[in-house]
Amino acid sequence: MPDRPLSPAATTAHRPLLEAAVVRLAPVLPMLTELGELFAAAGHELALVGGPVRDAFLGRVSPDLDFTTDARPDEILEVGARWADAHWDIGRDFGTIGLRKGPLQLEITTYRADVYDRTSRKPEVMFGDTLEGDLVRRDFAVNAMAIRLPSLEFVDVHGGLDDLVDRRLMTPAAPEESFADDPLRMMRAARFSAQLGFDVAPQVRAAMTERAATLEMISAERVREEFSKLLLAPRPRVGLTLLVDTGLADVFLPELPALRLEVDEHHRHKDVYDHSLIVLEQAIDLEGPPDGPPESVPGPDLVLRLAALLHDIGKPATRRFEPGGGVSFHHHELVGAKLVSKRLKAMRFDKDTTKQVARLVELHLRFHGYGDGQWTDSAVRRYATDAGPLLPRLHRLTRSDCTTRNARKAQRLSRAYDDLEKRIERLAAEEELGKVRPELDGNEIAAALGIRPGPVLGQAYSYLLSVRLDEGLIGKDAARAKLLAWWAARSE
């Protein structure tokens, strides 16, 4: 470990943590020291700040390094451009200059002292003059720790290290003031609780609840990004629960808290909200390793996690109390697929993600018609073909959807799905289900019926595809005969 001062903040209790953090930063310390010396020689301050410092204490190495300085953007470029292998200034208006040195990505930002318009959340970008003034405008105390360079002096004016040890999220300024400046910080509180496993301080939770409605002024794209990061975290349930309990979810995803259906006095149905969170956790457990093959659904997988969380959002709209005290949710998968599509579009998710999640929600109940394996090969073909490339995710979603406490029922469902997967594998090996096509191609269909390309040809193609799925390979002559019979019946 280099012989460097750590600062008076290095109390006896925390000194081992500080020393361990410096050791974890050892691979980049020569670069940090060199860059700090360059800025010092130019008469400027420089500090490593935010996530990289926090992660060093948590035993993690951050791939990107964030710095703050009293140098203005032009001065950052003057010092850094000669030293770095590459540079970019896309964030210059906000005081940020990007640098690349070897494999490392660096962002250096001028001290900020922004003033916010609290009706629009648009900041008036203002540069500050001190590190302490910059740290107070950051989102949470654990992200407001810094290491001055090249001295390696540890700066923690807001008790971030104490919060980290206590696994607590607290804002540097009063939380109601911090969230008034930037309501998106409330989403970050939920995200960090899911990523780091930290609890929010009681006053932070209270401010989130009080100011939840102000999230409406944040763009859908920024909310979506925070929500996606939360959902991809190791423990998303913690963050989701915080969003629901504080009322933030009501603002951007009201279908989630709507799952908290009041349980009837006889408790004839599950708590749909809790069930959905359990399904999400079980789906996460079934994800493959990050470097696994596509068919293993490498985790974290956003499409699978969205589908698991939202698979039952059609239930509130379809709930019916039946004669005799039963409860039904007929066609909730179809209603849910439409609701998912509408909500994800409103959150500005891309088209592919929206279509895939909606399709999984639509298909998630299909397996429950399988029973004890009564499906014909034709039905199994349809199941696999309708799922298409989503089949590995559908397998995991369907298995996760079994949350019954009845061990015998759970084992029966598991065995039935094992059987279905084996049948799909057998048929896939025999028939290459992913490439199933009618036995006559488009040209052959057009020639047999004497028609030109167009909608009618598409209908004929779809008919022969259904024949292929229902009956398997029957030969071109038989397929042509069926096509002609279909055409004759259609013309009558």
Side-chain angles (χ1 to χ4, degrees), residues 378-390:
S378 133
V380 175
R381 288 190 199 97
R382 283 190 177 277
Y383 184 83
T385 304
D386 286 350
L390 292 173

Side-chain angles (χ1 to χ4, degrees), residues 221-452:
E221 290 82 0
R222 295 182 70 207
V223 171
R224 179 203 66 219
E225 286 304 302
E226 286 297 328
F227 178 66
S228 297
K229 290 176 182 178
L230 185 162
L231 207 55
L232 293 173
R235 293 167 291 273
R237 179 172 186 152
V238 177
L240 293 168
T241 301
L242 184 59
L243 291 175
V244 171
D245 289 349
T246 57
L248 284 162
D250 290 302
V251 177
F252 72 96
L253 187 60
E255 294 83 1
L256 182 59
L259 294 175
R260 295 179 297 181
L261 298 172
E262 66 276 13
V263 179
D264 64 282
E265 59 180 336
H266 300 294
H267 296 269
R268 293 192 182 92
H269 66 274
K270 298 176 184 176
D271 179 336
V272 182
Y273 169 69
D274 188 59
H275 163 76
S276 298
L277 295 178
I278 293 173
V279 172
L280 171 61
E281 291 176 321
Q282 294 185 165
I284 291 171
D285 289 340
L286 293 177
E287 290 175 337
D291 57 350
E295 59 271 19
S296 73
V297 188
D301 187 86
L302 183 61
V303 169
L304 176 61
R305 295 188 183 198
L306 280 168
L309 179 66
L310 303 176
H311 74 286
D312 273 347
I313 67 170
K315 279 191 170 180
T318 59
R319 184 172 63 155
R320 299 290 182 270
F321 292 100
E322 305 292 349
V327 180
S328 67
F329 304 95
H330 294 309
H331 305 303
H332 77 268
E333 74 281 12
L334 302 179
V335 173
K338 292 179 180 178
L339 290 174
V340 162
S341 182
K342 181 178 179 181
R343 177 53 55 193
L344 296 189
K345 287 177 182 176
M347 293 179 69
R348 303 293 191 269
F349 277 93
D350 63 272
K351 290 183 179 179
D352 284 345
T353 297
T354 299
K355 287 178 63 176
Q356 291 172 16
V357 176
R359 186 60 168 159
L360 285 170
V361 172
E362 181 182 350
L363 294 174
H364 84 272
L365 279 187
R366 183 80 66 87
F367 161 71
H368 292 283
Y370 188 71
D372 293 321
Q374 298 96 332
W375 277 5
T376 63
D377 282 355
S378 133
V380 175
R381 288 190 199 97
R382 283 190 177 277
Y383 184 83
T385 304
D386 286 350
L390 292 173
L391 186 61
R393 291 187 177 104
L394 182 59
H395 286 332
R396 285 155 180 78
L397 175 60
T398 303
R399 288 185 179 277
S400 301
D401 196 24
C402 176
T403 61
T404 179
R405 296 179 182 177
N406 184 320
R408 183 174 297 178
K409 181 180 179 182
Q411 291 173 0
R412 179 176 58 79
L413 288 170
S414 180
R415 285 195 301 268
Y417 207 86
D418 288 343
D419 180 67
L420 175 59
E421 286 201 63
K422 290 176 182 176
R423 291 181 65 185
I424 290 173
E425 291 175 5
R426 175 177 59 79
L427 288 171
E430 293 174 355
E431 306 176 19
E432 294 187 275
L433 283 180
K435 302 177 182 178
V436 169
R437 299 291 185 272
E439 291 188 76
L440 302 181
D441 62 25
N443 292 330
E444 290 170 320
I445 293 172
L449 301 181
I451 60 176
R452 293 177 176 276

Side-chain angles (χ1 to χ4, degrees), residues 92-108:
R92 180 195 288 262
D93 290 345
F94 297 95
T96 299
I97 300 297
L99 305 176
R100 180 177 60 80
K101 184 71 170 179
L104 296 174
Q105 302 280 352
L106 294 72
E107 284 195 348
I108 305 178

